Amino acid sequence: MDPVKKSLWSLHLTVILLGATALFSKVIPLSATDITFGRSIIACFMLFSLVKMTGGKLSLARKKDYFIGIGLGILMAAHWVSYFAAMQYSSVSVGMIALFTFPVITVLIEPFFEGIRLVWQDILSALVVLIGIFLIVPEVSLENDVTLGILVGIMSAVLYAFRNLCHRKYFSHYSGSLAMAYQTLVIFFCLSFFITPELLNASGQTYIYLALLGTFFTAVPHALIATSLQHLRAKTFSLVACMQPLYGVILAILVLDEQPNWQTYVGGLLVISAALYETVNTQKLHKK
């Protein structure tokens, strides 16, 4: 199979798994920092084990790559913590939609990384995604936690956009598993100074949830994402991954009994349309 098509299939699969990560912000009774710390421990172990089992090298090729890995890990740590915090302040749907302003941010800043020009199709896709996001976000007041959740989610989006672009430009020559293994290792060390006693005194069920989050919903999909970025532009990843909020909203309805309004369905349709357009457009460009 063509590597670009394979990457697109993998990318569409991972958004389902990543969409489910939002639920853990509600079902795990811990702070965003504790959840991220527990997530990083499991994911780090799984990813390094995967690299070892597949015969890959655990060391990096150059000394400066270790510093790049540290920088990427710090960005990822801040992104993960703010991601869970956004949903804990508000709701799964609001937090996820706020996060998914990152495709617009990516489209706007990618030319500075890749030396390319913005085209009108990029702007149009970004605007469609932006309209869809604002339709899904419910009415808010500047005095309530929902507003805070949206602001934290947007901050998380900025961090995620920069992390993806930096990864593609400076770290994409490593396998997805190895790249994420080092980043989760950095997350573990960064957050070890901020964990609370609640994490150590958590119930067995909480640890099971953390194990599931760190394996099937973190190690596997993030390894696939990092691999996809070797063959796809960060903009493509960003817009295709915009289906993730819809999956998250559907899962929130089924598991958490959240009740979205009609704006959620219309906004979700716009977001998915933009993602599908970007996928088809990418395939056409690589056929030329």
Side-chain angles (χ1 to χ4, degrees):
M1 182 183 292
D2 179 75
V4 174
K5 289 184 179 180
K6 185 178 180 180
S7 295
L8 286 171
W9 277 108
S10 298
L11 186 54
H12 281 288
L13 174 63
T14 58
V15 297
I16 299 175
L17 296 175
L18 291 176
T21 61
L23 304 181
F24 290 93
S25 66
K26 297 295 187 181
V27 300
I28 297 179
L30 296 173
S31 68
T33 302
D34 286 344
I35 293 174
T36 303
F37 179 79
R39 181 187 193 185
S40 67
I41 294 176
I42 303 297
C44 183
F45 174 78
M46 293 297 296
L47 288 167
F48 272 116
S49 298
L50 179 61
V51 173
K52 188 67 174 178
M53 287 187 297
T54 54
K57 292 184 178 180
L58 297 181
S59 60
L60 302 181
R62 300 170 297 183
K63 289 185 178 179
K64 73 173 185 178
D65 288 343
Y66 288 98
F67 293 100
I68 295 172
I70 291 173
L72 292 174
I74 292 173
L75 285 174
M76 203 63 180
H79 160 63
W80 274 0
V81 171
S82 54
Y83 170 69
F84 286 116
M87 289 175 287
Q88 289 181 337
Y89 281 124
S90 53
S91 66
V92 169
S93 58
V94 172
M96 288 193 69
I97 300 308
L99 168 66
F100 272 79
T101 55
F102 86 85
V104 179
I105 298 169
T106 300
V107 168
L108 295 178
I109 66 177
E110 188 177 25
F112 297 99
F113 282 78
E114 302 291 343
I116 58 177
R117 290 185 178 182
L118 283 174
V119 296
W120 69 268
Q121 292 95 334
D122 294 342
I123 300 298
L124 180 60
S125 294
L127 288 175
V128 170
V129 170
L130 189 60
I131 293 171
I133 288 170
F134 276 110
L135 278 175
I136 295 175
V137 172
E139 184 179 357
V140 296
S141 168
L142 294 175
E143 298 179 354
N144 62 40
D145 287 340
V146 176
T147 301
L148 183 58
I150 292 173
L151 293 175
V152 173
I154 293 174
M155 179 183 71
S156 184
V158 173
L159 293 166
Y160 199 33
F162 272 105
R163 179 266 176 189
N164 289 338
L165 290 168
C166 289
H167 181 278
R168 174 172 171 79
K169 189 173 181 65
Y170 302 111
F171 219 65
S172 60
H173 51 285
Y174 292 108
S175 69
S177 298
L178 182 62
M180 276 307 301
Y182 273 97
Q183 290 174 62
T184 52
L185 181 62
V186 173
I187 294 171
F188 165 75
F189 281 111
C190 287
L191 298 185
S192 61
F193 300 99
F194 302 101
I195 59 174
T196 66
E198 282 75 13
L199 177 61
L200 301 178
N201 299 323
S203 65
Q205 185 180 42
T206 297
Y207 289 133
I208 291 174
Y209 285 147
L210 286 172
L212 290 173
L213 176 61
T215 53
F216 297 106
F217 299 96
T218 302
V220 173
H222 277 89
L224 292 174
I225 286 176
T227 301
S228 298
L229 288 173
Q230 296 179 21
H231 303 288
L232 301 174
R233 290 173 58 189
K235 179 199 69 177
T236 302
F237 161 72
S238 300
L239 293 174
V240 171
C242 281
M243 287 187 292
Q244 184 178 329
L246 182 61
Y247 291 122
V249 170
I250 292 174
L251 290 171
I253 294 172
L254 297 175
V255 179
L256 303 177
D257 198 30
E258 288 192 4
Q259 301 297 324
N261 51 31
W262 67 267
Q263 289 98 326
T264 299
Y265 295 106
V266 176
L269 179 62
L270 290 175
V271 168
I272 289 178
S273 298
L276 291 176
Y277 166 78
E278 184 62 24
T279 302
V280 173
N281 189 50
T282 300
Q283 289 179 322
K284 289 181 178 178
L285 289 175
H286 282 276
K287 287 180 180 179
K288 293 181 179 180

